[in-house]
Amino acid sequence: MDNWRKSSHSGEGDGNECVEIAITPTLIAVRDSKTPARGPLTFPAGAFAPFIDALKEGYSTVTDFAKLRG
């Protein structure tokens, strides 16, 4: 993927205190802006919004999210 973008809330300076996101029609990928060479966390396009909603609701781990999804 080559269409990475950073949040406008990335922090001061060069904005390395955030995650980056890349979107395709079928996939959403998220990576740490401090270590972009590491593999991204990827989601099917329809699973990203429920993941973000779960984080907002207080599910703090991937395991919690997996339990939510069943």
Side-chain angles (χ1 to χ4, degrees), residues 18-44:
C18 197
V19 296
E20 297 173 321
I21 188 169
I23 300 172
T24 71
T26 59
L27 181 73
I28 297 175
V30 180
R31 69 181 182 187
D32 185 342
S33 63
K34 293 183 296 293
T35 55
R38 288 188 176 176
L41 179 61
T42 58
F43 298 86

